[in-house]
Amino acid sequence: MARLSLNQATIKRATVAEAVEGCARHGIESIGLWREPVADHGLERTAKLVADAGLRVSSLCRGGFLTAVDNRSALDDNLRAIDEAAALRTDTLVMVVGGVQADKDLIGARQRVADAIAELSVHAAQAGVILALEPMHPVFCADRGVLSTLGQALDIAEQHESVGVVVDALHVWWDPDLDAQIVRAGPHIASYQVCDWLTPVPADVLLGRGYPGDGDIDLDRLTRHVAATGYSRDVEVEIFNAAIWAADFDEVIEEVTRRYHDIVEPAL
């Protein structure tokens, strides 16, 4: 259980304090935080709360949204996000890079991401923070992530020491080149996130995540491939699901720990 991290989004309705207290109560040693609830609680107060509870922050989500033609305000926000990650004593800032813009120029949007990451990587290196690029399932290309494959994320990450990638099971499991790209990712994997792909897909596909073991992803095989690269960092359980969000926090955390123990941990 030492490597299990509860991503705060899994208990979306919980405050930072409730999420941290829940992790501590259930013996989870790490938590993935989100910027908005951290801002609500206060950055310094959150850092102290986590430290006092004996937890570590596996990642901060999210930076990114860099695809606008004029993305200066986004760049400034990402500089702040890097500093927030450093203040929380995490070296991983998850980057959801942004979707296609009104000009529908997908190639241009991807180039703007690459250019922005090159600029941000300098400050990230100074702060000791990894910009963890999260490739997203192609269904999210229009509105959230123009990097659709692990290979596309690695093409950028490999150019900068302070840039890595997120391997999120939901987003990468479908990729026919995944095995080779995980091998290539090796030292660049900054975060491994698990959940499951549920079918039928809900009307809001964003909420189509389930507990590990409830869907179509071969998590045992995927986890073994990630582990074979030497990945030894935390494993985050990140679930967006309306029914899970509505459930009792303690019940959700208890189920997360059970699924991690039964399905994920044996493959690490």
Side-chain angles (χ1 to χ4, degrees):
M1 297 291 293
R3 293 173 62 189
L4 169 60
S5 174
L6 177 71
N7 188 286
Q8 190 178 0
T10 304
I11 49 172
K12 184 179 176 66
R13 294 183 301 110
T15 65
V16 167
E18 289 169 333
V20 169
E21 290 164 5
C23 286
R25 191 163 54 248
H26 289 270
I28 297 175
E29 300 179 12
S30 184
I31 186 168
L33 293 174
W34 283 65
R35 293 180 69 199
E36 295 82 1
V38 167
D40 289 342
H41 189 79
L43 181 62
E44 292 182 3
R45 286 182 65 209
T46 300
K48 184 177 186 305
L49 178 71
V50 172
D52 288 349
L55 271 63
R56 59 185 177 274
V57 179
S58 55
S59 72
L60 178 65
C61 195
R62 57 192 175 183
F65 293 95
L66 298 164
T67 54
V69 175
D70 180 4
N71 61 6
R72 187 65 255 170
S73 63
L75 287 165
D76 291 342
D77 182 63
N78 277 271
L79 292 172
R80 290 191 293 272
I82 292 167
D83 292 339
E84 291 165 17
L88 292 167
R89 301 183 183 90
T90 179
D91 67 355
T92 303
L93 176 64
V94 174
M95 303 292 286
V96 177
V97 298
V100 176
Q101 298 298 297
D103 60 7
K104 301 182 181 181
D105 182 4
L106 177 57
I107 295 173
R110 286 175 176 151
Q111 185 58 53
R112 288 191 288 275
V113 169
D115 293 343
I117 293 298
E119 181 174 341
L120 292 169
S121 67
V122 177
H123 186 61
Q126 294 170 345
V129 171
I130 300 168
L131 304 177
L133 302 177
E134 182 167 15
M136 306 194 81
H137 191 284
V139 73
F140 298 110
C141 186
D143 62 344
R144 283 182 175 80
V146 295
L147 301 180
S148 299
T149 67
L150 187 55
Q152 288 172 332
L154 285 166
D155 287 344
I156 298 174
E158 288 175 339
Q159 300 179 44
H160 311 283
E161 289 186 5
S162 57
V163 181
V165 296
V166 179
V167 176
D168 183 323
L170 181 107
H171 290 308
V172 304
W173 73 280
W174 59 274
D175 187 348
D177 197 34
L178 182 59
D179 290 358
Q181 294 303 323
I182 288 177
V183 171
R184 176 187 171 196
H188 305 288
I189 302 175
S191 178
Y192 178 45
Q193 297 179 334
V194 297
C195 65
D196 221 328
W197 178 280
L198 301 181
T199 49
V201 177
D204 186 348
V205 67
L206 182 67
L207 304 184
R209 293 173 177 246
Y211 288 113
D214 280 356
D216 302 301
I217 302 175
D218 186 348
L219 283 170
D220 181 78
R221 185 174 188 276
L222 176 56
T223 302
R224 291 184 189 280
H225 276 285
V226 171
T229 69
Y231 181 79
S232 59
R233 296 162 66 92
D234 292 319
V235 178
E236 289 187 11
V237 176
E238 182 188 57
I239 303 172
F240 293 9
N241 182 295
I244 292 173
W245 286 347
D248 177 82
F249 303 153
D250 273 328
E251 292 177 2
V252 172
I253 297 172
E254 185 175 342
E255 188 64 17
V256 164
T257 59
R258 186 177 73 82
R259 298 300 183 98
Y260 175 84
H261 176 75
D262 292 347
I263 295 169
V264 180
E265 192 173 36
L268 290 173

